[in-house]
Amino acid sequence: MSRRTKREQLQRHDPRLYSLVALVLVNLLGLACAAGPAGTLPTPTPIAHPSEPDALILRIETSGGLLPPFVLVTELPELSIYGDGTVITLGPQILIYPPPALPNLLQSRITEDGLQLLLREAAAAGLLAGDADYPLPGVYDAPTTFFTVNAAGKRTRVSVYALGIEDPSDPRLTAEQREARQKLAAFAAKARDLTSWLPADTIIERDIPYVITRLQIVAVPADAPLAPQSPENIPVSSRPWPLPMPLSQIGEPAPWVGPTARCAVIESRKELPRLLEELATANTATRWESDQQEFVLLVRPLLPDETGCQPRRW
């Protein structure tokens, strides 16, 4: 019996059954086409994000607790990712005191496919669902972890107090809060180590030294009440300030650090290399002599999206 004859008999026997069979076949064909060759899964819809090299896409930073103002001035995010796939991380810090004047910043770069994988992980952790804050009652003086995501047409800010310090069985946390904290902690751990799990073909470069193009410095007179002080048994070295502008006049006042503090951004092609050369052999306790006065420098490289010399706002 021919295929046409069978179809005609089925139509005559029950037209509704024929229509149902035809609909099922059409749907199966559509699924097969969506799946792609050899039954592969459909490609997820890309998560839109800015693509400029100075456009922040994702940041993880931890701050707070019992920290003096001069520590907040030099804090850096643990992870910052930009629209072109640039990844800037705070690398391992040498365990000596006083520590080096310049932090160890590392740069990697990932492809758009790598960015999409990371953004899907962020979405699964709830970081594209809007701003959120997760306090922890009964815990004091702990740091807060901040997640910033700029994707899917919005900028989201999520703060988690004492992330990883909480007791999972704490009855003051709801089931939803516990689940959210667990997801965010897992995402933070994964994002901080992203080159270990992203496919090799999504990593363009890995952990090269970050090239500083702008440097924020805060100068505080060494005898100021809030100036950082070294323990008495730690020798303190002094060296002349290498730039022409005296530290007592440099930049603008920085009252959020102290009444006599001043802040400036150094980016001149002539001045920046000279200052970086000096800082490469200095530490955080080095005193800088300028106009017969000694100063402490609070040094922080600026990342591509940062303007500098502004109080931090959480």
Side-chain angles (χ1 to χ4, degrees), residues 238-242 278 287-290:
S238 297
R239 60 177 68 186
W241 172 242
E278 288 288 335
R287 300 293 188 259
W288 299 86
E289 300 171 352
S290 177

mmCIF file with all atom_site columns, all heavy atoms in Angstrom, residues 238-242 278 287-290:
data_model
loop_
_atom_site.group_PDB
_atom_site.id
_atom_site.type_symbol
_atom_site.label_atom_id
_atom_site.label_alt_id
_atom_site.label_comp_id
_atom_site.label_asym_id
_atom_site.label_entity_id
_atom_site.label_seq_id
_atom_site.pdbx_PDB_ins_code
_atom_site.Cartn_x
_atom_site.Cartn_y
_atom_site.Cartn_z
_atom_site.occupancy
_atom_site.B_iso_or_equiv
_atom_site.pdbx_formal_charge
_atom_site.auth_seq_id
_atom_site.auth_comp_id
_atom_site.auth_asym_id
_atom_site.auth_atom_id
_atom_site.pdbx_PDB_model_num
ATOM 1  N N   . SER A 1 238 ? 63.311 57.301 55.030 1.00 0.00 ? 238 SER A N   1
ATOM 2  C CA  . SER A 1 238 ? 62.831 58.539 54.413 1.00 0.00 ? 238 SER A CA  1
ATOM 3  C C   . SER A 1 238 ? 63.527 58.737 53.082 1.00 0.00 ? 238 SER A C   1
ATOM 4  O O   . SER A 1 238 ? 64.682 58.339 52.911 1.00 0.00 ? 238 SER A O   1
ATOM 5  C CB  . SER A 1 238 ? 63.105 59.738 55.328 1.00 0.00 ? 238 SER A CB  1
ATOM 6  O OG  . SER A 1 238 ? 62.397 59.615 56.535 1.00 0.00 ? 238 SER A OG  1
ATOM 7  N N   . ARG A 1 239 ? 62.818 59.337 52.164 1.00 0.00 ? 239 ARG A N   1
ATOM 8  C CA  . ARG A 1 239 ? 63.414 59.655 50.869 1.00 0.00 ? 239 ARG A CA  1
ATOM 9  C C   . ARG A 1 239 ? 62.764 60.924 50.333 1.00 0.00 ? 239 ARG A C   1
ATOM 10 O O   . ARG A 1 239 ? 61.628 61.251 50.698 1.00 0.00 ? 239 ARG A O   1
ATOM 11 C CB  . ARG A 1 239 ? 63.266 58.488 49.883 1.00 0.00 ? 239 ARG A CB  1
ATOM 12 C CG  . ARG A 1 239 ? 61.846 58.093 49.591 1.00 0.00 ? 239 ARG A CG  1
ATOM 13 C CD  . ARG A 1 239 ? 61.793 56.975 48.547 1.00 0.00 ? 239 ARG A CD  1
ATOM 14 N NE  . ARG A 1 239 ? 62.328 55.722 49.057 1.00 0.00 ? 239 ARG A NE  1
ATOM 15 C CZ  . ARG A 1 239 ? 62.496 54.624 48.311 1.00 0.00 ? 239 ARG A CZ  1
ATOM 16 N NH1 . ARG A 1 239 ? 62.186 54.647 47.022 1.00 0.00 ? 239 ARG A NH1 1
ATOM 17 N NH2 . ARG A 1 239 ? 62.976 53.530 48.828 1.00 0.00 ? 239 ARG A NH2 1
ATOM 18 N N   . PRO A 1 240 ? 63.453 61.632 49.456 1.00 0.00 ? 240 PRO A N   1
ATOM 19 C CA  . PRO A 1 240 ? 62.904 62.888 48.931 1.00 0.00 ? 240 PRO A CA  1
ATOM 20 C C   . PRO A 1 240 ? 61.737 62.638 47.983 1.00 0.00 ? 240 PRO A C   1
ATOM 21 O O   . PRO A 1 240 ? 61.734 61.664 47.213 1.00 0.00 ? 240 PRO A O   1
ATOM 22 C CB  . PRO A 1 240 ? 64.090 63.531 48.212 1.00 0.00 ? 240 PRO A CB  1
ATOM 23 C CG  . PRO A 1 240 ? 65.040 62.411 47.944 1.00 0.00 ? 240 PRO A CG  1
ATOM 24 C CD  . PRO A 1 240 ? 64.837 61.391 49.009 1.00 0.00 ? 240 PRO A CD  1
ATOM 25 N N   . TRP A 1 241 ? 60.754 63.507 48.055 1.00 0.00 ? 241 TRP A N   1
ATOM 26 C CA  . TRP A 1 241 ? 59.617 63.436 47.144 1.00 0.00 ? 241 TRP A CA  1
ATOM 27 C C   . TRP A 1 241 ? 60.096 63.749 45.736 1.00 0.00 ? 241 TRP A C   1
ATOM 28 O O   . TRP A 1 241 ? 60.732 64.778 45.496 1.00 0.00 ? 241 TRP A O   1
ATOM 29 C CB  . TRP A 1 241 ? 58.558 64.424 47.602 1.00 0.00 ? 241 TRP A CB  1
ATOM 30 C CG  . TRP A 1 241 ? 57.410 64.626 46.676 1.00 0.00 ? 241 TRP A CG  1
ATOM 31 C CD1 . TRP A 1 241 ? 57.053 65.788 46.058 1.00 0.00 ? 241 TRP A CD1 1
ATOM 32 C CD2 . TRP A 1 241 ? 56.457 63.648 46.252 1.00 0.00 ? 241 TRP A CD2 1
ATOM 33 N NE1 . TRP A 1 241 ? 55.925 65.604 45.284 1.00 0.00 ? 241 TRP A NE1 1
ATOM 34 C CE2 . TRP A 1 241 ? 55.537 64.284 45.380 1.00 0.00 ? 241 TRP A CE2 1
ATOM 35 C CE3 . TRP A 1 241 ? 56.284 62.291 46.529 1.00 0.00 ? 241 TRP A CE3 1
ATOM 36 C CZ2 . TRP A 1 241 ? 54.482 63.618 44.785 1.00 0.00 ? 241 TRP A CZ2 1
ATOM 37 C CZ3 . TRP A 1 241 ? 55.217 61.623 45.946 1.00 0.00 ? 241 TRP A CZ3 1
ATOM 38 C CH2 . TRP A 1 241 ? 54.327 62.281 45.076 1.00 0.00 ? 241 TRP A CH2 1
ATOM 39 N N   . PRO A 1 242 ? 59.830 62.882 44.747 1.00 0.00 ? 242 PRO A N   1
ATOM 40 C CA  . PRO A 1 242 ? 60.483 63.039 43.433 1.00 0.00 ? 242 PRO A CA  1
ATOM 41 C C   . PRO A 1 242 ? 59.794 64.010 42.479 1.00 0.00 ? 242 PRO A C   1
ATOM 42 O O   . PRO A 1 242 ? 60.390 64.352 41.446 1.00 0.00 ? 242 PRO A O   1
ATOM 43 C CB  . PRO A 1 242 ? 60.431 61.614 42.869 1.00 0.00 ? 242 PRO A CB  1
ATOM 44 C CG  . PRO A 1 242 ? 59.209 61.010 43.485 1.00 0.00 ? 242 PRO A CG  1
ATOM 45 C CD  . PRO A 1 242 ? 59.098 61.608 44.851 1.00 0.00 ? 242 PRO A CD  1
ATOM 46 N N   . GLU A 1 278 ? 60.099 55.117 41.957 1.00 0.00 ? 278 GLU A N   1
ATOM 47 C CA  . GLU A 1 278 ? 60.416 55.312 43.373 1.00 0.00 ? 278 GLU A CA  1
ATOM 48 C C   . GLU A 1 278 ? 59.585 54.379 44.264 1.00 0.00 ? 278 GLU A C   1
ATOM 49 O O   . GLU A 1 278 ? 60.084 53.786 45.219 1.00 0.00 ? 278 GLU A O   1
ATOM 50 C CB  . GLU A 1 278 ? 60.151 56.768 43.776 1.00 0.00 ? 278 GLU A CB  1
ATOM 51 C CG  . GLU A 1 278 ? 61.161 57.752 43.227 1.00 0.00 ? 278 GLU A CG  1
ATOM 52 C CD  . GLU A 1 278 ? 62.512 57.644 43.915 1.00 0.00 ? 278 GLU A CD  1
ATOM 53 O OE1 . GLU A 1 278 ? 62.564 57.180 45.081 1.00 0.00 ? 278 GLU A OE1 1
ATOM 54 O OE2 . GLU A 1 278 ? 63.523 58.015 43.283 1.00 0.00 ? 278 GLU A OE2 1
ATOM 55 N N   . ARG A 1 287 ? 58.641 57.333 54.624 1.00 0.00 ? 287 ARG A N   1
ATOM 56 C CA  . ARG A 1 287 ? 58.324 58.760 54.780 1.00 0.00 ? 287 ARG A CA  1
ATOM 57 C C   . ARG A 1 287 ? 58.891 59.524 53.584 1.00 0.00 ? 287 ARG A C   1
ATOM 58 O O   . ARG A 1 287 ? 59.989 59.224 53.112 1.00 0.00 ? 287 ARG A O   1
ATOM 59 C CB  . ARG A 1 287 ? 58.910 59.302 56.082 1.00 0.00 ? 287 ARG A CB  1
ATOM 60 C CG  . ARG A 1 287 ? 58.391 58.619 57.334 1.00 0.00 ? 287 ARG A CG  1
ATOM 61 C CD  . ARG A 1 287 ? 56.916 58.914 57.551 1.00 0.00 ? 287 ARG A CD  1
ATOM 62 N NE  . ARG A 1 287 ? 56.437 58.436 58.833 1.00 0.00 ? 287 ARG A NE  1
ATOM 63 C CZ  . ARG A 1 287 ? 55.747 57.322 59.008 1.00 0.00 ? 287 ARG A CZ  1
ATOM 64 N NH1 . ARG A 1 287 ? 55.488 56.549 57.968 1.00 0.00 ? 287 ARG A NH1 1
ATOM 65 N NH2 . ARG A 1 287 ? 55.321 56.965 60.214 1.00 0.00 ? 287 ARG A NH2 1
ATOM 66 N N   . TRP A 1 288 ? 58.113 60.517 53.139 1.00 0.00 ? 288 TRP A N   1
ATOM 67 C CA  . TRP A 1 288 ? 58.506 61.277 51.954 1.00 0.00 ? 288 TRP A CA  1
ATOM 68 C C   . TRP A 1 288 ? 58.758 62.720 52.374 1.00 0.00 ? 288 TRP A C   1
ATOM 69 O O   . TRP A 1 288 ? 57.874 63.374 52.935 1.00 0.00 ? 288 TRP A O   1
ATOM 70 C CB  . TRP A 1 288 ? 57.415 61.190 50.893 1.00 0.00 ? 288 TRP A CB  1
ATOM 71 C CG  . TRP A 1 288 ? 57.183 59.771 50.462 1.00 0.00 ? 288 TRP A CG  1
ATOM 72 C CD1 . TRP A 1 288 ? 56.349 58.865 51.067 1.00 0.00 ? 288 TRP A CD1 1
ATOM 73 C CD2 . TRP A 1 288 ? 57.809 59.095 49.380 1.00 0.00 ? 288 TRP A CD2 1
ATOM 74 N NE1 . TRP A 1 288 ? 56.423 57.657 50.422 1.00 0.00 ? 288 TRP A NE1 1
ATOM 75 C CE2 . TRP A 1 288 ? 57.311 57.767 49.372 1.00 0.00 ? 288 TRP A CE2 1
ATOM 76 C CE3 . TRP A 1 288 ? 58.745 59.469 48.411 1.00 0.00 ? 288 TRP A CE3 1
ATOM 77 C CZ2 . TRP A 1 288 ? 57.711 56.818 48.447 1.00 0.00 ? 288 TRP A CZ2 1
ATOM 78 C CZ3 . TRP A 1 288 ? 59.143 58.526 47.489 1.00 0.00 ? 288 TRP A CZ3 1
ATOM 79 C CH2 . TRP A 1 288 ? 58.628 57.221 47.499 1.00 0.00 ? 288 TRP A CH2 1
ATOM 80 N N   . GLU A 1 289 ? 59.968 63.206 52.104 1.00 0.00 ? 289 GLU A N   1
ATOM 81 C CA  . GLU A 1 289 ? 60.363 64.554 52.514 1.00 0.00 ? 289 GLU A CA  1
ATOM 82 C C   . GLU A 1 289 ? 60.020 65.559 51.415 1.00 0.00 ? 289 GLU A C   1
ATOM 83 O O   . GLU A 1 289 ? 60.435 65.409 50.270 1.00 0.00 ? 289 GLU A O   1
ATOM 84 C CB  . GLU A 1 289 ? 61.868 64.594 52.790 1.00 0.00 ? 289 GLU A CB  1
ATOM 85 C CG  . GLU A 1 289 ? 62.299 63.636 53.896 1.00 0.00 ? 289 GLU A CG  1
ATOM 86 C CD  . GLU A 1 289 ? 63.807 63.536 54.002 1.00 0.00 ? 289 GLU A CD  1
ATOM 87 O OE1 . GLU A 1 289 ? 64.506 64.103 53.115 1.00 0.00 ? 289 GLU A OE1 1
ATOM 88 O OE2 . GLU A 1 289 ? 64.297 62.897 54.931 1.00 0.00 ? 289 GLU A OE2 1
ATOM 89 N N   . SER A 1 290 ? 59.246 66.567 51.805 1.00 0.00 ? 290 SER A N   1
ATOM 90 C CA  . SER A 1 290 ? 58.820 67.595 50.860 1.00 0.00 ? 290 SER A CA  1
ATOM 91 C C   . SER A 1 290 ? 58.744 68.919 51.595 1.00 0.00 ? 290 SER A C   1
ATOM 92 O O   . SER A 1 290 ? 57.996 69.043 52.578 1.00 0.00 ? 290 SER A O   1
ATOM 93 C CB  . SER A 1 290 ? 57.454 67.230 50.257 1.00 0.00 ? 290 SER A CB  1
ATOM 94 O OG  . SER A 1 290 ? 57.003 68.233 49.392 1.00 0.00 ? 290 SER A OG  1
#
